[in-house]
Amino acid sequence: MRPDLATAARAVLLALVGAAALFAVVKAGEMAEARVGERLASEARHRSEIYAQSLEGAIERFGYLPAAAALDLNVRRLLDQPDDAALAATVNAYLETLNRAAGTPVLYLMDPSGMTIAASNWDTRETYVGVDFSYRPYFTEAMAGQTGRFYAIGTLTGVPGYFISAPVVIGGKIRGVVVTKVNLDPLEAVWQEAADRVLVTDRHGIVFLASDPRFKFHATRPIDAATAQEMEKTRQYGRPAYPQLNLGTVETVGGVPLIAASDVAPHGRVIADDKALVPYGWHLLLFADAAALELAGRTARVGMTLGFGVLGLLGLYWWQHLKRARESLAARAALEAAQRQLEAKVEARTADLTSANGQLAGEIEERRRAEAELRAAQDELVQAAKMATLGQMAAGITHELNQPLTALRGLADNAGKLLEQGREEEAQANLGRITTMVDRLGKITGQLRAFARKSSSETLPVDVSAAVAESLAILAPRIRVAGIGVATDLDAAAATVRFEPIRLSQVVVNLVGNALDAVKGRPGAWVGLSTRREGARIILSVEDNGPGLPEVTLARIFDPFFTTKPAGEGLGLGLPISLAIAREFGATLAARARPGGGLGFDLVMEAAESADAAPPVPERMRHVC
């Protein structure tokens, strides 16, 4: 080949290599950004769910209060005798006591015209007694026989809050309305400590809760005249205008949409998540920092560039080495060349054998390391699944702890007053009740602590009824909130199995949790747990009356990351993890369709015939919760 043609060929080859390297650098950055972006978006959705649950928990723990107060005999009598001053004083004292025990800002009673005739703040400068609140939507909703709900700024106090109302029905007619106000300021204070920016908007798009106070009472979309007139009529926020927030523009980086140049992210880009709070008609907007995504892309591009640079230097070195070798070979005699060729063949064959042996040893070591990493990853995945279950139970556990704490406060106050009056026996009785409630709190937290603890792989005799009871205790708040009937039918002959206590509890929690999801919102929903013995095996069955699954879907139910739940509500790992745990302890787990509809899961375990097994249970234990 002529020198000019060889030079041109090398130039074309270098240009192609450079273009391929540039393409690889760009593609590596995009792939890194896409991978990190998917992780950040998933984490943002998870945190949005936690914020939403905390908001719902802060509101709903007081939802019972107006309806409970509406049942009081004196409250109902006052609506029939509104001019009875002594009766009004009695109702004022009752509302004050009930409101103090619940820990809400105010509790008050209105007649059918909307006039407040009794209130917990009757003796304060900002008392509601004698104030007409008929313009508030929560009053009109309650007078229509519904539970009223409305977030607004107090027209007397200027303090915002969430109002919950309930009708007072006497003789089949609505004779008045009881209202309580829930203060959400403590929840906002907690949000302000978090790294995320969180906004909650009402049905008109106006921000009324925010982790950054600067964004409160701003609009996320234009406010039309009809909406403005409605808010002025209800005096919801008491403001003449609502500045509109600039939510910026959407840019796509690595396949992930980001928001830039907005009021919520003036100095960078963020990942946004919009979660609808359907029961309230609100939206929770979360804005998470996307700096990690940009850093990942930049790091990948720099790393790929450095890698190609190192390869280029190695290639140049190798080319120089070959050039010197060719010059040396050309100067040697033909005999020496033949001898080198023979030695090279022997050396090459020896190197091939050595390389093959080294590669085989490396593959064996890699297989051992992979098996160890797989077992470690499985243990971590099991622990992560337990942590996710605990996160889902956070709102219910908050409600479980709040009731005993409120009662403890009331009993402690009463005990102090009884001691001041010299009534020591009654004070001692109050202290005994306090001890009982503290034991109850310890039992709740102890169950969570035991469930969260990492478990071992040691096989022990395990009491099936105890594992079922512990699992149902962990899921009790969720079962209670959903209103789902859970029945157990445990055979005394199938009492003890060879397993590990915490791992068995996790499998039961996963199976019952899936069943609760399947029957959620269905009339007459129920979940059943039963045990029976077949020879040396014990079968624990979990069944539900949900919609069931087609055969094609049922065949894939144990595949990792396969789920029938809506996006954001499940990763498809619960059943694969349960199957892996079962196999680890020599058990089997299978799914089946129930003839009457719904699904059934059968966990078949080895029976334990050991002297250290748990004490026997009654012949047939049945329980419904």
Side-chain angles (χ1 to χ4, degrees):
M1 181 180 292
R2 295 188 316 184
D4 55 344
L5 293 178
T7 301
R10 284 196 296 271
V12 171
L13 180 60
L14 289 174
L16 292 175
V17 171
L22 179 60
F23 175 79
V25 168
V26 174
K27 199 66 179 176
E30 292 178 352
M31 292 175 63
E33 289 171 344
R35 183 172 60 254
V36 175
E38 290 177 359
R39 176 175 60 82
L40 293 178
S42 176
E43 292 174 353
R45 288 192 295 271
H46 178 65
R47 292 199 299 276
S48 294
E49 183 68 28
I50 293 176
Y51 284 120
Q53 289 179 357
S54 66
L55 176 58
E56 183 178 356
I59 292 174
E60 296 306 327
R61 61 180 179 147
F62 299 113
Y64 71 93
L65 194 58
L71 299 176
D72 183 75
L73 181 60
N74 289 328
V75 169
R76 303 164 75 88
R77 288 174 54 199
L78 182 59
L79 291 171
D80 287 331
Q81 306 170 35
D83 297 329
D84 190 333
L87 184 57
T90 300
V91 174
N92 282 332
Y94 166 72
L95 295 178
E96 180 180 8
T97 302
L98 184 60
N99 184 70
R100 185 184 303 111
T104 54
V106 66
L107 182 65
Y108 52 102
L109 172 66
M110 295 187 292
D111 64 15
S113 69
M115 183 66 66
T116 304
I117 60 176
S120 61
N121 62 357
W122 60 274
D123 59 345
T124 66
R125 186 170 55 184
E126 298 172 342
T127 179
Y128 286 8
V129 176
V131 180
D132 183 359
F133 291 112
S134 60
Y135 56 86
R136 292 295 201 187
Y138 61 75
F139 171 74
T140 56
E141 291 173 359
M143 288 302 295
Q146 305 172 0
T147 298
R149 293 173 176 268
F150 188 63
Y151 186 92
I153 294 179
T155 54
L156 293 181
T157 63
V159 177
Y162 188 70
F163 294 87
I164 304 175
S165 63
V168 181
V169 181
I170 302 175
K173 295 182 179 180
I174 299 175
R175 302 294 301 277
V177 175
V178 178
V179 186
T180 188
K181 181 179 181 181
V182 180
N183 185 8
L184 299 180
D185 289 346
L187 181 64
E188 276 189 304
V190 174
W191 289 359
Q192 291 173 11
E193 299 297 328
D196 300 317
R197 285 190 171 171
V198 183
L199 308 178
V200 180
T201 63
D202 62 13
R203 59 191 180 93
H204 302 305
I206 296 176
V207 178
F208 63 92
L209 292 176
S211 60
D212 189 337
R214 294 177 301 170
F215 301 136
K216 292 185 69 172
F217 307 115
H218 283 62
T220 58
R221 60 175 183 267
I223 303 297
D224 56 35
T227 300
Q229 183 178 4
E230 177 186 347
M231 289 191 293
E232 181 179 359
K233 178 181 178 181
T234 60
R235 307 180 198 178
Q236 185 171 10
Y237 301 124
R239 294 174 182 267
Y242 303 90
Q244 187 167 345
L245 282 175
N246 174 22
L247 295 182
T249 58
V250 177
E251 301 177 359
T252 300
V253 177
V256 178
L258 304 179
I259 292 179
S262 67
D263 290 340
V264 294
H267 304 298
R269 293 183 288 189
V270 296
I271 292 178
D273 185 73
D274 184 347
K275 179 173 182 57
L277 305 177
V278 178
Y280 312 103
W282 300 341
H283 280 263
L284 188 146
L285 308 178
L286 181 140
F287 301 93
D289 187 11
L293 181 148
E294 299 175 358
L295 178 61
R298 186 163 55 249
T299 302
R301 285 188 284 269
V302 171
M304 186 64 72
T305 301
L306 292 176
F308 280 122
V310 172
L311 289 177
L313 292 175
L314 290 175
L316 179 61
Y317 169 78
W318 183 249
W319 181 78
Q320 292 291 343
H321 174 73
L322 289 179
K323 183 178 180 181
R324 289 193 299 270
R326 285 195 299 268
E327 292 174 352
S328 176
L329 288 173
R332 293 178 183 235
L335 183 58
E336 293 175 349
Q339 183 178 356
R340 280 197 307 271
Q341 290 176 0
L342 180 59
E343 292 175 352
K345 289 181 180 180
V346 174
E347 183 179 359
R349 291 183 180 179
T350 303
D352 289 340
L353 290 175
T354 303
S355 175
N357 288 337
Q359 183 178 1
L360 181 59
E363 290 179 355
I364 292 174
E365 183 61 26
E366 182 66 24
R367 183 181 297 274
R368 291 174 179 171
R369 185 165 54 253
E371 290 178 353
E373 291 176 354
L374 179 60
R375 181 171 296 277
Q378 178 179 322
D379 292 340
E380 291 300 323
L381 192 57
V382 169
Q383 187 68 10
K386 293 197 289 186
M387 294 300 101
T389 301
L390 288 176
Q392 294 174 358
M393 296 186 299
I397 294 300
T398 300
H399 180 71
E400 288 292 309
L401 296 178
N402 184 65
Q403 289 181 342
L405 288 174
T406 301
L408 284 174
R409 176 63 183 271
L411 289 171
D413 290 344
N414 288 341
K417 293 179 179 179
L418 291 171
L419 288 174
E420 291 176 358
Q421 298 172 6
R423 299 158 63 184
E424 295 182 357
E425 292 184 0
E426 298 179 39
Q428 185 67 30
N430 275 10
L431 293 176
R433 296 188 187 98
I434 290 176
T435 300
T436 301
M437 291 186 178
V438 169
D439 292 341
R440 177 185 173 188
L441 290 173
K443 182 177 180 181
I444 294 173
T445 56
Q447 291 168 348
L448 289 176
R449 187 165 55 250
F451 184 74
R453 186 175 64 246
K454 281 193 174 183
S455 55
S456 66
S457 300
E458 183 181 359
T459 302
L460 302 169
V462 180
D463 187 349
V464 178
S465 62
V468 170
E470 179 181 351
S471 303
L472 293 181
I474 292 174
L475 294 171
R478 181 176 169 190
I479 295 171
R480 218 169 12 252
V481 170
I484 298 173
V486 178
T488 60
D489 185 5
L490 306 181
D491 191 347
T496 311
V497 297
R498 302 292 300 178
F499 222 92
E500 198 279 329
I502 297 178
R503 294 291 184 92
L504 180 56
S505 294
Q506 184 175 2
V507 173
V508 177
V509 168
N510 283 344
L511 296 179
V512 177
N514 277 350
L516 294 175
D517 290 337
V519 301
K520 181 170 61 177
R522 294 177 63 86
W526 63 267
V527 175
L529 294 89
S530 61
T531 58
R532 65 182 186 277
R533 181 165 188 153
E534 294 183 358
R537 310 293 285 178
I538 290 177
I539 303 174
L540 170 62
S541 298
V542 178
E543 299 180 316
D544 63 70
N545 64 341
L549 294 174
E551 292 185 3
V552 176
T553 304
L554 192 61
R556 298 185 57 198
I557 199 169
F558 290 104
D559 292 349
F561 301 104
F562 175 78
T563 179
T564 58
K565 299 178 182 178
E569 293 188 12
L571 294 177
L573 292 176
L575 290 177
I577 290 174
S578 299
L579 179 61
I581 293 174
R583 290 175 175 174
E584 181 179 355
F585 293 95
T588 62
L589 178 62
R592 54 181 168 80
R594 295 182 64 254
L599 290 180
F601 288 87
D602 295 324
L603 179 61
V604 183
M605 299 167 285
E606 178 185 355
E609 305 296 345
S610 174
D612 58 351
V617 296
E619 178 63 24
R620 194 77 174 177
M621 185 177 72
R622 300 180 184 271
H623 178 64
V624 178
C625 61

